[in-house]
Amino acid sequence: MSGLTVTARTLVRNSAVTFQNIKSLRIVSSLDSPADSLSAEIAANELHGDFGHLEAHDGAKLLFSGSIDSQQESVSGKGALIRLDARSAGALLLDNQALPSVLQNVQLGVLFNRCIAPYGFTLFNPNRAVYVPVFTIRAGQTEWDAFVDFSRRAHGITPHIKGTQVLIRRPGGGTRPVIISNSADGASYSSITHTRTPYSIISRVILRDENGQYTLAVRNSAASYTGAVRKRYMVPMEEHADRMALDANQRIRRSMLEYEHVAVTLPGFVDIGLGDDIAIRDEKIQLNNLSVGEREFFADEHGMITKIKAVNPLYYD
C-alpha cells in the first residue's frame, strides 16, 4: 500500500493532514446509490481534532472525495488509531428531504432543477421530452427518491450518477467491453462466481383496475426459460393511472436483474467504472453482455483488490 494515502482537512483551521500508515481501506460504489462510501482505519502518531472533507489517492489517482460521516479515535499502548467513515457528494441527495407537493404537467428537467441541481450536479438526459400530468412528492421522501420516482414515471429509467453528472439512461452499451481473462489479453482475475437465483423471478403481475377488480395481467416472457411460476398482485400507484402496466413491468425487470449476477475479484485497484461493459473470456468461463452494478476497492496489510458485481444491463430499470 505504498502509494495509498488518505488526506483529511481539519474543520477549525482547514489544514490538510495526509496519512500513509493505513491499516485498512474500503471504498464502495453502486448504481443503486448516488453516494460512494469509504471506511478507513489509520495508525497515527497523534490526534488532530475534527475532520470535515476527505480524499483517498492511489498515487496520483483520486479514488474518493467526500465528507466525514463518522470519526472515531482511540489510544492504547500501541498508539493512536483513527477510524473514518465518509460519503461522496451524492450523500446530500439522500440526507435532505424534498418539499412535499403536488406537481402538474411538468418535465424531468423541472424536478432536477428543484431537487438535484442545487447540490452541484448536472443532468444528461438523451430521452425525448415527456410531461407528467400529476406527480406527488410525498412527505419524508428524500431529494433523490423523489427524482428517481419521477424519472421512472416519465422515462421508465432509474437514474444513476457518474462523478457529478446524473445520467438518465441504462448502463452499458456503446463502448468496447473491458475484457477479464487469465488465458487471454485483459484484466486478470483472482476469482469469478456466477450466481443464478430463479427464486427471485416474478412470472406474472396482476393489477387492480379502477373498479377494484384484478383484471390486467402483465407477464414475464423470460420466466418460461427457468420455469418460474411466481405471481404478484398490485395496486398501481396513483401517478401511474394512465400507464398502469409501468409499475408491474418495473417490478418484473427488477426481479430479472436480481436473478443473475457475476462477482469478480481482481488483484490491485483496477480502473473499471460503474455502468462499464465487461466481458469474461477465459478458457474456463465465457460470459458476455454484462455491466458493472457495484464496485469495491479494498486494501489492508495483505494487499489491494477490486471487487465488482456485474449484472445484465438489459434488466436495469
Side-chain angles (χ1 to χ4, degrees):
M1 293 195 292
S2 58
L4 196 61
T5 60
V6 170
T7 299
R9 304 196 73 90
T10 60
L11 287 175
V12 176
R13 297 182 179 179
N14 194 33
S15 58
V17 180
T18 298
F19 300 100
Q20 292 181 315
N21 194 0
I22 300 166
K23 306 296 288 183
S24 68
L25 176 73
R26 188 187 305 273
I27 301 171
V28 178
S29 307
S30 172
L31 286 177
D32 288 336
S33 174
D36 300 342
S37 64
L38 173 146
S39 295
E41 287 191 344
I42 301 164
N45 295 323
E46 59 179 314
L47 303 181
H48 299 272
D50 294 345
F51 291 125
H53 190 264
L54 178 150
E55 290 186 353
H57 288 84
D58 180 21
K61 179 176 177 56
L62 178 66
L63 300 176
F64 176 89
S65 178
S67 298
I68 301 292
D69 277 338
S70 173
Q71 176 179 344
Q72 184 182 74
E73 300 168 329
S74 59
V75 180
S76 68
K78 297 181 180 180
L81 185 67
I82 302 174
R83 178 184 173 90
L84 300 174
D85 295 296
R87 289 177 298 161
S88 63
L92 294 169
L93 307 179
L94 300 173
D95 294 346
N96 289 280
Q97 291 184 350
L99 175 67
S101 52
V102 178
L103 307 178
Q104 296 183 337
N105 203 32
V106 293
Q107 290 180 300
L108 183 134
V110 172
L111 201 69
F112 179 85
N113 291 333
R114 174 174 176 162
C115 295
I116 309 298
Y119 300 97
F121 292 89
T122 59
L123 176 66
F124 175 74
N125 182 16
N127 306 284
R128 66 178 181 83
V130 174
Y131 286 89
V132 174
V134 179
F135 182 76
T136 302
I137 300 177
R138 301 182 299 277
Q141 272 195 305
T142 67
E143 304 274 30
W144 181 249
D145 286 342
F147 183 73
V148 167
D149 282 354
F150 190 95
S151 178
R152 287 173 171 168
R153 171 67 180 86
H155 300 294
I157 297 173
T158 300
H160 62 281
I161 287 181
K162 274 198 172 185
T164 58
Q165 189 174 55
V166 178
L167 307 174
I168 314 299
R169 64 171 176 81
R170 292 188 173 88
T175 60
R176 295 183 63 182
V178 176
I179 304 301
I180 296 174
S181 178
N182 282 351
S183 59
D185 291 338
S188 60
Y189 65 89
S190 302
S191 67
I192 296 175
T193 303
H194 187 191
T195 301
R196 301 177 184 85
T197 313
Y199 174 79
S200 72
I201 296 176
I202 295 174
S203 60
R204 185 165 54 121
V205 176
I206 302 97
L207 298 170
R208 192 177 73 180
D209 62 25
E210 58 186 8
N211 298 317
Q213 303 297 315
Y214 288 90
T215 57
L216 177 62
V218 180
R219 301 179 186 277
N220 179 3
S221 59
S224 59
Y225 171 75
T226 63
V229 179
R230 199 164 289 109
K231 65 182 178 182
R232 298 291 185 268
Y233 292 90
M234 289 184 62
V235 179
M237 293 177 61
E238 182 180 351
E239 287 82 4
H240 294 174
D242 59 331
R243 298 171 64 189
M244 291 181 60
L246 183 62
D247 260 355
N249 277 315
Q250 288 180 341
R251 188 164 180 181
I252 287 172
R253 291 174 67 89
R254 179 59 60 168
S255 78
M256 293 303 300
L257 187 70
E258 294 171 353
Y259 159 62
E260 182 178 21
H261 71 270
V262 181
V264 183
T265 301
L266 308 106
F269 286 170
V270 182
D271 190 14
I272 298 179
L274 291 178
D276 285 357
D277 293 319
I278 69 167
I280 299 171
R281 297 174 183 168
D282 190 75
E283 61 183 10
K284 297 179 180 178
I285 183 170
Q286 301 275 330
L287 295 169
N288 294 293
N289 302 319
L290 297 171
S291 181
V292 178
E294 296 178 12
R295 185 196 63 198
E296 176 185 329
F297 293 144
F298 179 76
D300 62 9
E301 66 271 17
H302 301 296
M304 301 186 293
I305 60 173
T306 300
K307 293 182 177 181
I308 60 173
K309 178 182 178 182
V311 297
N312 187 340
L314 176 66
Y315 297 114
Y316 185 78
D317 61 354

